Amino acid sequence: MKSKQQLTALIYHRATEIKSNKNISLVMQKHYKLLFRLYLTKPLYFKVIFKANRFIIGSAIMAYSFTSANPTLRDVKDFCKKTGLISDNTIDSFLLFIRVGGRMEVKKDAQDKRKLTYTVTSKALDETRALINTMMIPYGMLYGDFDVSACLKMENFHAEYFKKYAEITLKHVYLFDMVPESKAFIFRDAGHMLLMDLYIESLQQKTTVIEYNYLKASLKCGVSRSHIKRCLQDAEAAGLLTLDKASNTLILHLSFMQMALDYFAVYMAMVEYGLRGLSGVPPLPASMSQ
């Protein structure tokens, strides 16, 4: 298994190659369309799961589920506490949210009644796979050797993907560490969706001075207009954009556009790491994976 330093370097390298692809804008738009369609089915769940600290918990649940014979809630809790980023309250409330939503089943360990083991339900697995698909399908637009249709049909997809992707999770390699400016968005509910929505609006309007409908955005992201405004105010304080209340426009700075591109490329490089671990999928050429 690679070290955290090695994984980080590899992902940075792959992200640089991904964002330099001539089709990157089309790939980002494809991801956005797929995610938006999925998001509308369960906005409460997806707005929650995309908040950075909860994404870590969700990733840990999947990682231990596919790398441990008897994954326990203690495994997940201890891992999350070690990050120093997540409070006990947040961990407990999110685990309860997952259980109540029918995404996790918990029982006492047969050998040690003090331990609670868990299994991820088919509902959670289906949602997770659908979420990965919003990146996997666009990824196929970048690399012709990647057979998207075969991967969509794989029965053992989750086990193979997460055994590989778990290396990223368990080595504490975080997207927000690699793209620090993204914290203004992804440490809030629906942050990923809002970040992508702004970037895609800029592409569609063909300008970085965009007209932005807060009501429409709140419906897209599953959060209130006030929540979106607070997030944008944080982004403005970080120097990523300027809110022009007089003209009801947003001025997206070059720093925002670069951050959004970096963020997406790193996200895709992380997903790629799991995808290239699937059986039947050719590894990246050595020149592209070093």
Side-chain angles (χ1 to χ4, degrees):
M1 185 182 288
K2 292 180 174 65
S3 67
K4 178 178 180 177
Q5 184 178 6
Q6 289 172 323
L7 274 174
T8 301
L10 172 61
I11 291 166
Y12 264 130
H13 174 72
R14 291 297 305 129
T16 299
E17 294 193 337
I18 287 169
K19 71 182 180 182
S20 66
N21 189 287
K22 64 180 181 180
N23 293 321
I24 189 62
S25 292
L26 294 175
V27 169
M28 293 176 76
Q29 290 179 74
K30 183 66 173 179
H31 163 69
Y32 176 79
K33 287 178 183 177
L34 292 171
L35 179 62
F36 178 55
R37 193 182 305 159
L38 177 63
Y39 207 94
L40 288 179
T41 63
K42 295 170 184 173
L44 173 61
Y45 175 67
F46 288 112
K47 79 171 184 180
V48 169
I49 198 70
F50 263 126
K51 187 173 182 179
N53 57 358
R54 290 161 186 157
F55 194 83
I56 292 172
I57 304 172
S59 296
I61 290 170
M62 288 296 180
Y64 284 108
S65 182
F66 291 102
T67 60
S68 174
N70 292 295
T72 68
L73 292 186
R74 179 52 55 194
D75 293 331
V76 175
K77 289 182 179 182
D78 287 348
F79 171 83
C80 292
K81 287 179 183 178
K82 287 177 184 176
T83 67
L85 299 166
I86 315 169
S87 68
D88 288 350
N89 253 359
T90 298
I91 298 169
D92 289 338
S93 63
F94 185 74
L95 290 175
L96 180 61
F97 172 76
I98 293 294
R99 292 174 66 179
V100 170
R103 296 175 174 93
M104 176 192 284
E105 293 178 350
V106 176
K107 63 181 181 180
K108 290 183 179 180
D109 183 77
Q111 304 301 321
D112 186 345
K113 300 297 183 182
R114 295 171 299 177
K115 291 182 180 179
L116 292 176
T117 61
Y118 71 87
T119 54
V120 178
T121 66
S122 58
K123 177 181 180 179
L125 292 175
D126 289 345
E127 290 169 342
T128 301
R129 189 163 186 178
L131 193 56
I132 295 170
N133 287 349
T134 69
M135 290 296 277
M136 183 176 76
I137 294 171
Y139 180 75
M141 297 166 64
L142 293 177
Y143 300 104
D145 74 326
F146 184 77
D147 191 342
V148 173
S149 60
C151 290
L152 288 171
K153 297 172 186 175
M154 282 185 66
E155 293 184 4
N156 205 35
F157 179 90
H158 296 96
E160 293 190 3
Y161 178 87
F162 280 105
K163 280 178 183 176
K164 188 70 173 174
Y165 186 85
E167 294 178 32
I168 291 174
T169 300
L170 300 179
K171 290 295 182 181
H172 301 279
V173 178
Y174 302 127
L175 202 164
F176 53 80
D177 282 340
M178 300 180 73
V179 189
E181 299 85 358
S182 67
K183 290 180 181 179
F185 290 92
I186 65 172
F187 271 79
R188 288 184 176 273
D189 283 350
H192 173 86
M193 191 64 178
L194 179 57
L195 187 161
M196 292 301 302
D197 190 50
L198 290 169
Y199 190 86
I200 299 304
E201 282 291 332
S202 178
L203 294 182
Q204 293 176 344
Q205 296 183 33
K206 298 180 180 179
T207 177
T208 54
V209 182
I210 63 172
E211 296 180 4
Y212 202 59
N213 187 316
Y214 288 93
L215 176 58
K216 188 177 178 181
S218 70
L219 294 173
K220 286 180 184 178
C221 299
V223 292
S224 67
R225 283 175 287 179
S226 59
H227 177 90
I228 289 174
K229 288 177 181 178
R230 287 193 296 272
C231 185
L232 294 178
Q233 287 167 356
D234 281 355
E236 183 176 38
L240 296 171
L241 53 84
T242 298
L243 300 170
D244 190 338
K245 296 178 182 177
S247 62
N248 198 34
T249 59
L250 296 178
I251 303 169
L252 301 175
H253 298 171
L254 179 61
S255 57
F256 171 86
M257 301 301 287
Q258 187 60 57
M259 178 274 292
L261 182 58
D262 290 344
Y263 170 85
F264 181 82
V266 169
Y267 180 22
M268 180 157 276
M270 288 178 163
V271 172
E272 174 190 67
Y273 194 75
L275 294 176
R276 291 289 172 170
L278 301 176
S279 58
V281 174
L284 290 166
S287 61
M288 300 174 69
S289 60
Q290 296 301 313

Coordinates of all heavy atoms in Angstrom, one line a residue, residues 57 60-61 64 70-81 91-92 94-96 98-99 104-109 114-119:
I57 N -16.9 10.4 7.0 CA -17.6 9.4 7.7 C -18.1 8.3 6.7 O -17.9 7.1 6.9 CB -18.7 9.9 8.6 CG1 -18.2 11.0 9.5 CG2 -19.3 8.7 9.4 CD1 -19.3 11.7 10.3
A60 N -15.4 6.3 5.3 CA -14.9 5.3 6.3 C -15.8 4.1 6.4 O -15.3 3.0 6.5 CB -14.7 6.0 7.6
I61 N -17.1 4.4 6.4 CA -18.1 3.3 6.5 C -17.8 2.3 5.3 O -17.8 1.1 5.5 CB -19.5 3.8 6.4 CG1 -19.8 4.5 7.7 CG2 -20.5 2.7 6.2 CD1 -21.1 5.3 7.7
Y64 N -14.1 0.4 5.6 CA -14.1 -0.7 6.5 C -15.0 -1.9 6.1 O -14.7 -3.0 6.3 CB -14.4 -0.3 7.9 CG -13.3 0.5 8.6 CD1 -13.3 1.9 8.8 CD2 -12.1 -0.2 9.0 CE1 -12.2 2.6 9.3 CE2 -11.0 0.5 9.5 CZ -11.1 1.9 9.7 OH -10.1 2.5 10.3
N70 N -15.2 -8.2 9.7 CA -16.3 -7.8 10.6 C -16.2 -6.3 11.0 O -15.7 -6.0 12.1 CB -16.3 -8.7 11.9 CG -16.6 -10.1 11.6 OD1 -17.7 -10.4 11.2 ND2 -15.6 -11.0 11.8
P71 N -16.6 -5.4 10.1 CA -16.5 -4.0 10.4 C -17.3 -3.6 11.5 O -18.5 -4.1 11.6 CB -16.9 -3.3 9.1 CG -17.8 -4.3 8.4 CD -17.2 -5.7 8.8
T72 N -16.8 -2.7 12.4 CA -17.6 -2.3 13.6 C -17.8 -0.8 13.5 O -17.0 -0.1 12.9 CB -16.9 -2.7 14.9 OG1 -15.7 -1.9 15.0 CG2 -16.5 -4.2 14.9
L73 N -18.8 -0.4 14.3 CA -19.0 1.1 14.4 C -17.8 1.7 15.1 O -17.5 2.9 14.9 CB -20.3 1.4 15.2 CG -21.6 1.0 14.5 CD1 -22.8 1.4 15.4 CD2 -21.7 1.6 13.1
R74 N -17.1 1.0 16.0 CA -16.0 1.5 16.7 C -14.8 1.8 15.7 O -14.1 2.8 15.9 CB -15.5 0.5 17.8 CG -14.3 0.9 18.6 CD -14.4 2.3 19.2 NE -15.6 2.4 20.0 CZ -16.1 3.6 20.4 NH1 -15.4 4.7 20.0 NH2 -17.1 3.7 21.1
D75 N -14.7 0.9 14.7 CA -13.7 1.2 13.7 C -13.9 2.5 13.1 O -13.0 3.3 12.9 CB -13.7 0.1 12.6 CG -13.3 -1.3 13.0 OD1 -12.5 -1.4 14.0 OD2 -13.8 -2.3 12.4
V76 N -15.1 2.8 12.7 CA -15.5 4.0 12.0 C -15.3 5.2 12.9 O -14.7 6.2 12.6 CB -16.9 4.0 11.5 CG1 -17.3 5.3 10.9 CG2 -17.1 2.9 10.4
K77 N -15.8 5.1 14.2 CA -15.7 6.2 15.1 C -14.3 6.5 15.4 O -13.9 7.7 15.5 CB -16.5 5.9 16.4 CG -18.0 5.8 16.2 CD -18.7 5.5 17.6 CE -20.2 5.5 17.4 NZ -20.8 5.3 18.7
D78 N -13.4 5.5 15.7 CA -12.0 5.7 16.1 C -11.3 6.4 14.9 O -10.5 7.3 15.1 CB -11.4 4.4 16.4 CG -11.8 3.9 17.8 OD1 -12.4 4.7 18.5 OD2 -11.5 2.7 18.1
F79 N -11.6 5.9 13.7 CA -10.9 6.5 12.5 C -11.3 8.0 12.4 O -10.4 8.9 12.2 CB -11.3 5.8 11.2 CG -10.9 6.4 10.0 CD1 -9.6 6.2 9.5 CD2 -11.7 7.3 9.3 CE1 -9.2 6.9 8.3 CE2 -11.3 7.9 8.1 CZ -10.0 7.7 7.6
C80 N -12.6 8.3 12.5 CA -13.0 9.7 12.3 C -12.5 10.6 13.4 O -12.2 11.8 13.1 CB -14.6 9.7 12.3 SG -15.3 8.9 10.8
K81 N -12.4 10.1 14.6 CA -11.9 10.9 15.7 C -10.4 11.3 15.5 O -9.9 12.4 15.8 CB -12.0 10.2 17.1 CG -13.4 10.1 17.6 CD -13.5 9.3 18.9 CE -14.9 9.2 19.4 NZ -15.0 8.4 20.7
I91 N -20.3 12.6 14.4 CA -20.2 11.2 14.1 C -21.4 10.4 14.5 O -22.0 9.7 13.7 CB -19.0 10.5 14.8 CG1 -17.7 11.2 14.3 CG2 -18.9 9.1 14.4 CD1 -16.4 10.9 15.1
D92 N -21.9 10.6 15.7 CA -23.0 9.8 16.2 C -24.3 10.2 15.5 O -25.1 9.3 15.1 CB -23.2 10.1 17.7 CG -22.2 9.4 18.6 OD1 -21.5 8.5 18.1 OD2 -21.9 9.9 19.7
F94 N -24.6 11.4 12.4 CA -24.6 10.9 11.0 C -24.8 9.4 11.0 O -25.5 9.0 10.1 CB -23.2 11.3 10.4 CG -23.2 10.9 8.9 CD1 -23.9 11.7 8.0 CD2 -22.5 9.8 8.5 CE1 -23.9 11.3 6.6 CE2 -22.5 9.5 7.1 CZ -23.2 10.2 6.2
L95 N -24.2 8.7 11.9 CA -24.4 7.2 11.9 C -25.9 6.9 12.2 O -26.5 6.0 11.6 CB -23.5 6.6 13.0 CG -22.0 6.5 12.7 CD1 -21.3 6.0 13.9 CD2 -21.7 5.7 11.4
L96 N -26.5 7.7 13.0 CA -28.0 7.5 13.3 C -28.8 7.9 12.0 O -29.7 7.2 11.7 CB -28.4 8.4 14.4 CG -29.9 8.3 14.8 CD1 -30.2 6.9 15.3 CD2 -30.2 9.4 15.9
I98 N -27.8 7.6 9.0 CA -27.6 6.5 8.0 C -28.5 5.3 8.4 O -29.1 4.6 7.6 CB -26.1 6.1 8.0 CG1 -25.3 7.2 7.4 CG2 -25.9 4.8 7.2 CD1 -25.6 7.5 5.9
R99 N -28.5 5.0 9.7 CA -29.3 3.8 10.2 C -30.8 4.0 10.0 O -31.5 3.1 9.5 CB -28.9 3.5 11.6 CG -27.5 3.0 11.8 CD -27.1 2.8 13.3 NE -27.9 1.8 14.0 CZ -27.8 1.5 15.2 NH1 -26.9 2.1 16.0 NH2 -28.5 0.5 15.8
M104 N -27.9 1.3 6.7 CA -26.9 0.5 7.5 C -27.7 -0.4 8.5 O -28.6 0.1 9.1 CB -25.9 1.4 8.2 CG -25.0 0.7 9.2 SD -24.1 1.8 10.3 CE -22.9 2.6 9.2
E105 N -27.3 -1.6 8.6 CA -27.8 -2.5 9.6 C -26.8 -2.9 10.6 O -25.6 -3.2 10.3 CB -28.4 -3.8 8.9 CG -29.5 -3.6 8.0 CD -30.0 -4.8 7.3 OE1 -29.3 -5.9 7.4 OE2 -31.1 -4.8 6.7
V106 N -27.2 -2.8 11.9 CA -26.2 -3.0 13.0 C -26.6 -4.1 13.9 O -27.8 -4.3 14.2 CB -26.1 -1.7 13.8 CG1 -25.1 -1.9 15.0 CG2 -25.6 -0.5 13.0
K107 N -25.7 -4.9 14.4 CA -26.0 -6.0 15.3 C -24.8 -6.2 16.2 O -23.6 -5.8 15.9 CB -26.4 -7.3 14.6 CG -25.3 -7.9 13.7 CD -25.7 -9.1 13.0 CE -24.6 -9.7 12.2 NZ -25.1 -11.0 11.5
K108 N -25.0 -6.9 17.3 CA -23.9 -7.2 18.2 C -23.0 -8.3 17.6 O -23.5 -9.3 17.0 CB -24.5 -7.7 19.6 CG -25.1 -6.6 20.4 CD -25.6 -7.0 21.7 CE -26.2 -5.9 22.5 NZ -26.7 -6.4 23.8
D109 N -21.7 -8.2 17.8 CA -20.8 -9.1 17.3 C -21.0 -10.5 18.0 O -21.2 -10.5 19.2 CB -19.4 -8.6 17.5 CG -18.3 -9.6 17.0 OD1 -18.1 -9.6 15.7 OD2 -17.7 -10.3 17.8
R114 N -19.9 -6.7 23.2 CA -19.7 -5.2 23.4 C -19.5 -4.5 22.1 O -19.6 -3.3 22.0 CB -18.5 -5.0 24.3 CG -18.6 -5.5 25.8 CD -17.3 -5.5 26.5 NE -16.3 -6.3 25.8 CZ -15.0 -6.4 26.2 NH1 -14.6 -5.7 27.2 NH2 -14.2 -7.2 25.6
K115 N -19.2 -5.2 21.1 CA -18.9 -4.6 19.7 C -20.2 -4.6 18.9 O -21.0 -5.6 18.9 CB -17.8 -5.4 19.0 CG -16.5 -5.3 19.6 CD -15.4 -6.0 18.7 CE -14.0 -5.9 19.3 NZ -13.1 -6.7 18.5
L116 N -20.4 -3.6 18.1 CA -21.5 -3.5 17.2 C -20.9 -3.6 15.8 O -20.2 -2.7 15.4 CB -22.3 -2.2 17.4 CG -23.1 -2.0 18.7 CD1 -23.7 -0.6 18.8 CD2 -24.2 -3.1 18.8
T117 N -21.3 -4.6 15.1 CA -20.8 -4.8 13.7 C -21.9 -4.2 12.8 O -23.1 -4.1 13.2 CB -20.6 -6.2 13.3 OG1 -21.8 -7.0 13.5 CG2 -19.5 -6.9 14.2
Y118 N -21.5 -3.9 11.6 CA -22.5 -3.3 10.7 C -22.3 -3.9 9.3 O -21.3 -4.4 8.9 CB -22.4 -1.8 10.6 CG -21.1 -1.3 9.9 CD1 -21.1 -1.1 8.5 CD2 -20.0 -1.0 10.6 CE1 -20.0 -0.6 7.9 CE2 -18.8 -0.6 10.0 CZ -18.8 -0.3 8.6 OH -17.7 0.1 8.0
T119 N -23.4 -3.8 8.5 CA -23.4 -4.1 7.1 C -24.1 -2.9 6.4 O -25.0 -2.3 6.9 CB -24.1 -5.4 6.8 OG1 -25.5 -5.3 7.3 CG2 -23.4 -6.6 7.3

